[in-house]
Amino acid sequence: MSTHVGDEQAEIDRLRARVAALEAELIEVQAWANEVVGQAQERTYWLDRWHVDLNELMRHRSADRLRAAARAVRSVIRLFRRLKRRFVP
Amino acid sequence: MTTVSVVIPVKNGERYLAELLAALAREGVNEILVIDSGSSDGSVEIVRAAGVELIEIPADAFGHGRTRNLGAEHTTGELICFLTQDATPVDGWLAAYREAFSLAPRVGAAYGPHLPRPQTSPMIARELGEFFATFAPDGRPTVQTAGDPPFLSNVNACYARACWEELRFRDVAYAEDQAFGADLLAAGWSKVYHPQAAVLHAHDYGLVEFMRRYFDEYRGLREAVGHVEPFGLGATLRHVHRSVAADRKWMRQHGAGVLERARWTTRSAAHHGGRRVFSALGSRADRLPASVQRALSLERRDGAPRMPAEPASPAARRPGGPPLATGARIPRMRERDDYEVAAEVWRHGPAPLLDPVAGMADRERLRIAMVIPPFSRGSGGHNTLFQIFSRLERRGHVCSVWVHDYFRELRDVWPGVVRRNINEFFAPIKGAVYKGFDAWHGADLVVATGWQTVHPALRLDRCYARAYLVNDHEPEFYAASTEQVLAADTYRHGLHCIAATPWLRDLLIERYGATADAFQLGVDHETYRPRPVERRRDTIVYYARYETPRRAVPIGLMALAELHRRRPDVRIVLFGGGHPIHTAFPYEHMGVLSREQLSWLYSEATVGLCLSLTNFSLMPKEMLACGLPCVELAGVSAESTFGEQPPLELATLDPTNIADRLERLLDDRDLWERRSREGLASVETHTWDHATDQVEAALRHALRLRELPVVSR
């Protein structure tokens, strides 16, 4: 009987330790997430201040065109640099 | 056979009215009602001559929704058709409507196309055809249900009386039909577009009138269904180009000659370009000044929302009959009621707490979620919260801030800005700031921080305990009112209270049966310290914040008037209020000062005066920390902060007694020196670190109160 009680107590202790470990893990994760969200809010301050939702903005058709234009300009610049590297000592 | 009534609102509609009434007679409708709102042309005579029923209402009583509701109320048909005064039904119109209501169960409304009249401009004629063709690509009637466009047009529409009775038209300035269409689909009714239920209809406006009408239409759409017309320069130019080409093609197909096509091309470009601009402006009319709105509006309306108190169906008169009185029908004006969340708590109770875990109160790091009301720069209560919260965070606790913006005071302030403001106005925090509770992810402790935040905090789940940081006895801020009742209610929901003075703690325990701890408000000793400035012997500084009734400013002013009568040479300085107030004595108005400025003022002045009818505030402590003796009220809460021998001069709530105390400190140099010394010593230990110690212990106490007894080994 006493062995049975001892086993039960050991199981309770083991479960308590497990709960404590899980709680500690949760706190670590939430601390990290909380700080990361805080940092992200700090980074996006001016967007928030000016009510700019970049995702919304970039979904717009004009944004696609702007990005395509930027890609075109970039490819010309790269081409120019490649040529310069090749032909200009 | 289904009976059909037709309602026609009219104002100066003589041009097509006879033709319209004749067409209705030909179609064989059961009942026609014309509602005239002040015609000055021959409309009324035309109606009378046709033997049609007429109701006359004053012009200012007209409303697109309310007048149609009035018409529906005064007719009896199972179907109610609405036509405008310039819409003439074509042959087969009535039969088409009768058929429409038999096409599906629960058809609430039906509508038909608007056909151009011979003189209609090519732009409008083409667009009408193309627009209505989209509803019936195969030319057959279509049934529209939830998810389909809500389009309905009272130029030519027909309603099942049962549906109208259930929904009625909203009393909106414009687009009541579109609103009805949306309401109808949302309520589970369907609507039918029937291509044969057609009317001849087109507006013959000039270019400018057209633009202003588009402004009105899109402003109405925004008000009724929230539609915002997009606008972009490139898109507009492309649209104009496409539309002009389409108009020219349409004209060619309809036999217009070269000259006529050329004549209309310029007008077409102006029409389509102007429409894009004016519809975008109409959608955004709320951003325009009232005078600009009036100038752009064909109706000369400045867009101010109609007041609900305005009678929706004012006395209408049947010829020869008594005035008809009907009640105002007020549309839904807001998302929810003010204190719905409190009612939720009363109805459903608080969200269940997590089962307690042994030892949770003693964990090194706690997850603390603080629910705060909106704030502005200089909020003393928020300063207390964040001085403590910032320190809790630095001690390793995981702290998040949740803004409960019930009255949408911060609706235009995004979370990143709220967070930065907290950092700039109060104290540095590293954690996240959330507006609302959509991202709620649980915490060990939820901390409410003002009466408005308690009920939402009670609805938050996944937490072990709830605490309530009480800065003041807030029911005393209100006269008998809902707010007073709700504020008192917040102490009765079992949140562990953490009160800003022992006086407040005792009050919460005795009056409300709450569990409570106390903390002492801290002083920022780096700012509030004696500054190197010569102390004057003649200056009283008074925190005269008239906007805060608990500061008893009228009594303070009477005391100073009495002091001035006795000692006209005393310099009196008032601060804390935004505007100068009228007094019975001369004074210097300092307005709202920064903390730095306050510390210099306190260091220079002779005596401070700061009254509080409720909880002891931080300000007297800050005065004392600058070596400034201070007069406060006796018998309220000061004694609980400093004990039986407080370092303050305490006065009864009597102007003469307050003036006596001020005068004593001015005259008695020994007393002044002693008070100044005692004051500095007494607040030395009142630091924010100490306050944080007390609050942290109280938070752990809140958790401990929930802990299960440890199972004996």
PDB file of all heavy atoms in Angstrom, chain B residues 147-158:
ATOM      1  N   GLY B 147     -24.811  37.606 -51.664  1.00  0.00           N
ATOM      2  CA  GLY B 147     -23.544  37.489 -52.382  1.00  0.00           C
ATOM      3  C   GLY B 147     -23.593  38.171 -53.735  1.00  0.00           C
ATOM      4  O   GLY B 147     -22.560  38.529 -54.295  1.00  0.00           O
ATOM      5  N   ASP B 148     -24.803  38.356 -54.281  1.00  0.00           N
ATOM      6  CA  ASP B 148     -24.936  39.088 -55.545  1.00  0.00           C
ATOM      7  C   ASP B 148     -24.899  40.592 -55.255  1.00  0.00           C
ATOM      8  O   ASP B 148     -25.066  41.023 -54.114  1.00  0.00           O
ATOM      9  CB  ASP B 148     -26.266  38.715 -56.222  1.00  0.00           C
ATOM     10  CG  ASP B 148     -26.218  37.312 -56.813  1.00  0.00           C
ATOM     11  OD1 ASP B 148     -25.157  36.941 -57.338  1.00  0.00           O
ATOM     12  OD2 ASP B 148     -27.229  36.586 -56.725  1.00  0.00           O
ATOM     13  N   PRO B 149     -24.714  41.394 -56.325  1.00  0.00           N
ATOM     14  CA  PRO B 149     -24.678  42.850 -56.098  1.00  0.00           C
ATOM     15  C   PRO B 149     -25.997  43.335 -55.477  1.00  0.00           C
ATOM     16  O   PRO B 149     -27.076  42.838 -55.849  1.00  0.00           O
ATOM     17  CB  PRO B 149     -24.503  43.431 -57.503  1.00  0.00           C
ATOM     18  CG  PRO B 149     -24.016  42.309 -58.338  1.00  0.00           C
ATOM     19  CD  PRO B 149     -24.517  41.047 -57.734  1.00  0.00           C
ATOM     20  N   PRO B 150     -25.934  44.291 -54.561  1.00  0.00           N
ATOM     21  CA  PRO B 150     -27.161  44.743 -53.900  1.00  0.00           C
ATOM     22  C   PRO B 150     -27.969  45.726 -54.734  1.00  0.00           C
ATOM     23  O   PRO B 150     -28.967  46.254 -54.259  1.00  0.00           O
ATOM     24  CB  PRO B 150     -26.628  45.430 -52.632  1.00  0.00           C
ATOM     25  CG  PRO B 150     -25.273  45.911 -53.007  1.00  0.00           C
ATOM     26  CD  PRO B 150     -24.735  44.940 -54.021  1.00  0.00           C
ATOM     27  N   PHE B 151     -27.557  45.934 -55.987  1.00  0.00           N
ATOM     28  CA  PHE B 151     -28.162  47.004 -56.780  1.00  0.00           C
ATOM     29  C   PHE B 151     -29.692  46.910 -56.826  1.00  0.00           C
ATOM     30  O   PHE B 151     -30.283  45.863 -57.090  1.00  0.00           O
ATOM     31  CB  PHE B 151     -27.614  46.976 -58.211  1.00  0.00           C
ATOM     32  CG  PHE B 151     -28.211  48.047 -59.078  1.00  0.00           C
ATOM     33  CD1 PHE B 151     -27.710  49.341 -59.047  1.00  0.00           C
ATOM     34  CD2 PHE B 151     -29.305  47.778 -59.899  1.00  0.00           C
ATOM     35  CE1 PHE B 151     -28.270  50.341 -59.827  1.00  0.00           C
ATOM     36  CE2 PHE B 151     -29.873  48.777 -60.680  1.00  0.00           C
ATOM     37  CZ  PHE B 151     -29.352  50.054 -60.641  1.00  0.00           C
ATOM     38  N   LEU B 152     -30.312  48.023 -56.563  1.00  0.00           N
ATOM     39  CA  LEU B 152     -31.754  48.216 -56.741  1.00  0.00           C
ATOM     40  C   LEU B 152     -31.911  49.680 -57.118  1.00  0.00           C
ATOM     41  O   LEU B 152     -31.134  50.508 -56.658  1.00  0.00           O
ATOM     42  CB  LEU B 152     -32.491  47.987 -55.427  1.00  0.00           C
ATOM     43  CG  LEU B 152     -33.227  46.671 -55.196  1.00  0.00           C
ATOM     44  CD1 LEU B 152     -33.949  46.746 -53.856  1.00  0.00           C
ATOM     45  CD2 LEU B 152     -34.213  46.359 -56.285  1.00  0.00           C
ATOM     46  N   SER B 153     -32.885  49.998 -57.931  1.00  0.00           N
ATOM     47  CA  SER B 153     -33.067  51.397 -58.284  1.00  0.00           C
ATOM     48  C   SER B 153     -34.540  51.761 -58.172  1.00  0.00           C
ATOM     49  O   SER B 153     -35.391  51.168 -58.853  1.00  0.00           O
ATOM     50  CB  SER B 153     -32.583  51.650 -59.711  1.00  0.00           C
ATOM     51  OG  SER B 153     -32.988  52.946 -60.102  1.00  0.00           O
ATOM     52  N   ASN B 154     -34.818  52.749 -57.336  1.00  0.00           N
ATOM     53  CA  ASN B 154     -36.201  53.178 -57.161  1.00  0.00           C
ATOM     54  C   ASN B 154     -36.697  54.059 -58.300  1.00  0.00           C
ATOM     55  O   ASN B 154     -37.810  54.577 -58.251  1.00  0.00           O
ATOM     56  CB  ASN B 154     -36.378  53.890 -55.820  1.00  0.00           C
ATOM     57  CG  ASN B 154     -36.622  52.894 -54.699  1.00  0.00           C
ATOM     58  OD1 ASN B 154     -36.988  51.746 -54.957  1.00  0.00           O
ATOM     59  ND2 ASN B 154     -36.418  53.321 -53.464  1.00  0.00           N
ATOM     60  N   VAL B 155     -35.874  54.235 -59.302  1.00  0.00           N
ATOM     61  CA  VAL B 155     -36.397  54.827 -60.534  1.00  0.00           C
ATOM     62  C   VAL B 155     -37.488  53.903 -61.064  1.00  0.00           C
ATOM     63  O   VAL B 155     -38.522  54.335 -61.553  1.00  0.00           O
ATOM     64  CB  VAL B 155     -35.267  54.986 -61.578  1.00  0.00           C
ATOM     65  CG1 VAL B 155     -35.832  55.317 -62.956  1.00  0.00           C
ATOM     66  CG2 VAL B 155     -34.301  56.068 -61.126  1.00  0.00           C
ATOM     67  N   ASN B 156     -37.236  52.602 -60.882  1.00  0.00           N
ATOM     68  CA  ASN B 156     -38.153  51.612 -61.425  1.00  0.00           C
ATOM     69  C   ASN B 156     -37.951  50.314 -60.632  1.00  0.00           C
ATOM     70  O   ASN B 156     -37.089  49.502 -60.976  1.00  0.00           O
ATOM     71  CB  ASN B 156     -37.842  51.399 -62.923  1.00  0.00           C
ATOM     72  CG  ASN B 156     -38.578  50.218 -63.503  1.00  0.00           C
ATOM     73  OD1 ASN B 156     -39.688  49.896 -63.060  1.00  0.00           O
ATOM     74  ND2 ASN B 156     -37.976  49.574 -64.502  1.00  0.00           N
ATOM     75  N   ALA B 157     -38.703  50.164 -59.573  1.00  0.00           N
ATOM     76  CA  ALA B 157     -38.554  48.953 -58.761  1.00  0.00           C
ATOM     77  C   ALA B 157     -39.887  48.577 -58.161  1.00  0.00           C
ATOM     78  O   ALA B 157     -40.804  49.402 -58.063  1.00  0.00           O
ATOM     79  CB  ALA B 157     -37.530  49.186 -57.654  1.00  0.00           C
ATOM     80  N   CYS B 158     -39.994  47.338 -57.758  1.00  0.00           N
ATOM     81  CA  CYS B 158     -41.243  46.837 -57.193  1.00  0.00           C
ATOM     82  C   CYS B 158     -40.913  45.968 -55.979  1.00  0.00           C
ATOM     83  O   CYS B 158     -39.942  45.201 -56.014  1.00  0.00           O
ATOM     84  CB  CYS B 158     -41.954  46.010 -58.269  1.00  0.00           C
ATOM     85  SG  CYS B 158     -43.584  45.460 -57.772  1.00  0.00           S
TER      86      CYS B 158
END
